[in-house]
Amino acid sequence: MDGKLVDFGTEVHDLAWSPDGKHAAFIDGSGSLVVSAPDGTARTTVAKNPGGQVWTHPTWQVNPVQGQGMVPARSNLLFAAETNGVLRLMGVKSSAVEGAPQPISLGNESGPDSKPLPQTGNLWPDGGGDLGIAVYANRVTGEVFVRDDFIRQTGYALGKGSEPALSSDGDDIVFVRSVDGHAHLFATKRTDGGAHDLTPKATTDYAAPVFSPDGKTVAARTAQGIVTLPADGSAAPTLVSEYTGTPAYRG
């Protein structure tokens, strides 16, 4: 962390920082969902894995009251749970102690010709903004989806891609899409279906992108280590660390 090793007292997988940077959420060595202080102390098992499940990629859903109470204040953790090969998005209060995660309702597509959104095959959730917005990918359709709590849990597909990340203001999305044999980074606005290739000259595969808190920089994993690049794609990626783990910005 900032070039220093931090001992969390357990294996740490898929770490995600709370929006205020005061707490870390991650999957521990037993596969359970844990929240701790930034230095790894004060660990609380928010949800205990019952066994036979693989939990991945927790993300924070934190927002104040919005829309005259249409969206309540909350602090939740969303994550993907795989049981017998079936993937579902789950949620639990971030303050829970060995709480019981519940499946996330995904509702219908927005628009006049709406149809039910896929309830299974979903993974890699990421939340941001003050409206309970989240993005996620679907392993079956190979698409990136947006989930909007503000409009009664409707959602829509952004197009082909995987491993999406949402900016802290909830407006911008970066994701991975295969192009000519390599995994490129693409960016789009949440309300705009057009996607811009941030790495058009890619000679390596990019994975696990994440926005900086100010939304101006994207970090991603490559085989060589962690790279960063401007979120608008105005410059080529720069190698900033030879560690090959999953990057996470602390706000």
Side-chain angles (χ1 to χ4, degrees), residues 77-113:
L77 287 166
L78 313 181
F79 62 97
E82 185 169 9
T83 308
N84 297 323
V86 178
L87 276 162
R88 294 184 186 274
L89 297 186
M90 307 292 288
V92 65
K93 290 184 179 297
S94 64
S95 59
V97 178
E98 296 195 10
Q102 299 297 316
I104 297 297
S105 172
L106 297 175
N108 298 316
E109 292 179 346
S110 54
D113 300 319

Side-chain angles (χ1 to χ4, degrees), residues 14 16 55-61 77-81 87-91 104 106 121-128 133-138 144-145 147 162-166 209:
D14 299 351
W55 293 359
T56 57
H57 210 79
T59 187
W60 296 80
Q61 182 191 47
L77 287 166
L78 313 181
F79 62 97
L87 276 162
R88 294 184 186 274
L89 297 186
M90 307 292 288
I104 297 297
L106 297 175
N122 298 312
L123 71 168
W124 208 276
D126 193 61
I133 302 294
V135 291
Y136 60 95
N138 187 278
V144 170
F145 285 84
R147 177 180 185 266
S162 62
E163 302 181 13
L166 192 61

Side-chain angles (χ1 to χ4, degrees), residues 91-200:
V92 65
K93 290 184 179 297
S94 64
S95 59
V97 178
E98 296 195 10
Q102 299 297 316
I104 297 297
S105 172
L106 297 175
N108 298 316
E109 292 179 346
S110 54
D113 300 319
S114 66
K115 59 183 179 180
L117 292 164
Q119 300 296 304
T120 60
N122 298 312
L123 71 168
W124 208 276
D126 193 61
D130 291 337
L131 300 179
I133 302 294
V135 291
Y136 60 95
N138 187 278
R139 188 166 66 184
V140 178
T141 68
E143 295 174 294
V144 170
F145 285 84
V146 175
R147 177 180 185 266
D148 193 340
D149 263 3
F150 196 66
I151 48 177
R152 300 183 181 180
Q153 300 168 352
T154 62
Y156 49 92
L158 285 173
K160 293 296 184 181
S162 62
E163 302 181 13
L166 192 61
S167 61
S168 60
D169 62 9
D171 289 337
D172 295 287
I173 299 166
V174 64
F175 60 93
V176 175
R177 179 184 289 175
S178 179
V179 178
D180 296 332
H182 284 298
H184 289 222
L185 298 178
F186 278 76
T188 184
K189 292 289 185 181
R190 177 169 54 84
T191 55
D192 179 7
H196 171 56
D197 192 345
L198 301 180
T199 54

